Amino acid sequence: MDFDGFTLVASTADLDEEPRARTHADAIEFRMDLADGPLDALASYDGELPILATNRADWEGGEAGEEGRLDALADACTVDAVEAIDVELAAIGDGTADDLLETARERDVRIVVSAHDFEGTPPRPALVRTLTEAGEYGDVAKLAVTAESRADALALLSATEQLTRRGESVATMAMGEVGRHTRAVAPVYGSRIGYAPVDPDAATAPGQYDLASLDRLVGRLSPKREN
């Protein structure tokens, strides 16, 4: 999983759903924080798609408490199918993720450094600063905001274009109905990762398209995408 081009990721807490995702997805985002026995599930995984492992903290929209959360992600790095992990920028900033980052680099596991704003969309310069900071630590800087207006969506797309033009690898999306279209449009401006649930009734973030729809939309807007 090199993220040199656009990667469509199917989000799920059940790795048994992987066969359903193969037609459209390039990879699986395994939401460890939403799964029962996630390390056991990873150990028995025999699917074809590579895995981006996420163990989202409860303070950033997930369900994982802090105890053992990053250690579990480090253990996930030892699974051959896990080619990337997601680490919150805030966890890196306070130093708690230092050992995890070292483990990932030793195992040649890609690092997506993420930040989420569930309250709104900061001004464009702040978006650029957050993406720039995240990019200093990881292979892809991910930023999800909540759009309350079309202007918010435009600010996010503009920041995406600026960072991409600068040679940075970013993944951006605006959560909620107002910003929903950015999930399909952001790849045109350089966003490297798109997320969609395998099961449309089990979306992992507000405003997600179902997997088949996002694949179709991105394919029409970005003709270079290949399945």
Side-chain angles (χ1 to χ4, degrees):
M1 207 182 306
D2 53 25
F3 300 115
D4 286 342
F6 178 75
T7 300
L8 179 55
V9 175
S11 297
T12 183
D14 182 359
L15 289 177
D16 289 338
E17 291 187 329
E18 185 267 352
R20 294 172 55 193
R22 291 176 193 167
T23 301
H24 301 287
D26 303 304
I28 291 286
E29 182 195 32
F30 181 41
R31 285 295 299 267
M32 298 173 64
D33 57 304
L34 304 178
D36 295 325
L39 292 176
D40 290 337
L42 284 171
S44 60
Y45 178 71
D46 62 355
E48 297 177 3
L49 296 176
I51 293 173
L52 163 62
T54 298
N55 201 15
R56 182 70 67 223
D58 52 14
W59 44 262
E60 193 143 346
E63 295 189 7
E66 275 308 288
E67 185 175 358
R69 183 178 74 87
L70 298 180
D71 290 338
L73 265 180
D75 289 341
C77 289
T78 67
V79 177
D80 288 342
V82 175
E83 296 188 8
I85 59 170
D86 181 301
V87 186
E88 297 84 1
L89 178 60
I92 294 174
D94 65 19
T96 57
D98 289 352
D99 290 343
L100 172 59
L101 297 182
E102 183 177 353
T103 298
R105 293 184 184 114
E106 288 175 350
R107 296 285 303 181
D108 197 27
V109 171
R110 301 293 184 181
I111 301 168
V112 177
V113 178
S114 61
H116 301 75
D117 190 325
F118 295 96
E119 301 299 324
T121 301
R124 183 181 176 283
L127 301 177
V128 172
R129 285 196 299 271
T130 297
L131 286 167
T132 300
E133 182 181 2
E136 292 174 356
Y137 297 101
D139 299 287
V140 180
K142 175 190 172 185
L143 177 60
V145 299
T146 302
E148 298 176 334
S149 67
R150 293 178 182 176
D152 288 343
L154 285 171
L156 181 70
L157 294 174
S158 179
T160 304
E161 189 278 334
Q162 178 180 338
L163 271 291
T164 299
R165 180 161 34 88
R166 223 163 64 184
E168 304 291 335
S169 294
V170 301
T172 60
M173 65 276 323
M175 297 179 286
E177 286 303 314
V178 174
R180 190 182 191 208
H181 66 284
T182 64
R183 294 181 179 275
V185 174
V188 177
Y189 293 86
S191 180
R192 300 296 178 89
I193 309 174
Y195 297 81
V198 177
D199 179 356
D201 295 325
T204 56
Q208 286 183 329
Y209 291 98
D210 66 85
L211 185 60
S213 294
L214 186 57
D215 187 24
R216 183 176 65 254
L217 288 168
V218 173
R220 288 178 177 178
L221 294 170
S222 305
K224 292 183 180 180
R225 170 164 168 73
E226 298 179 357
N227 290 321

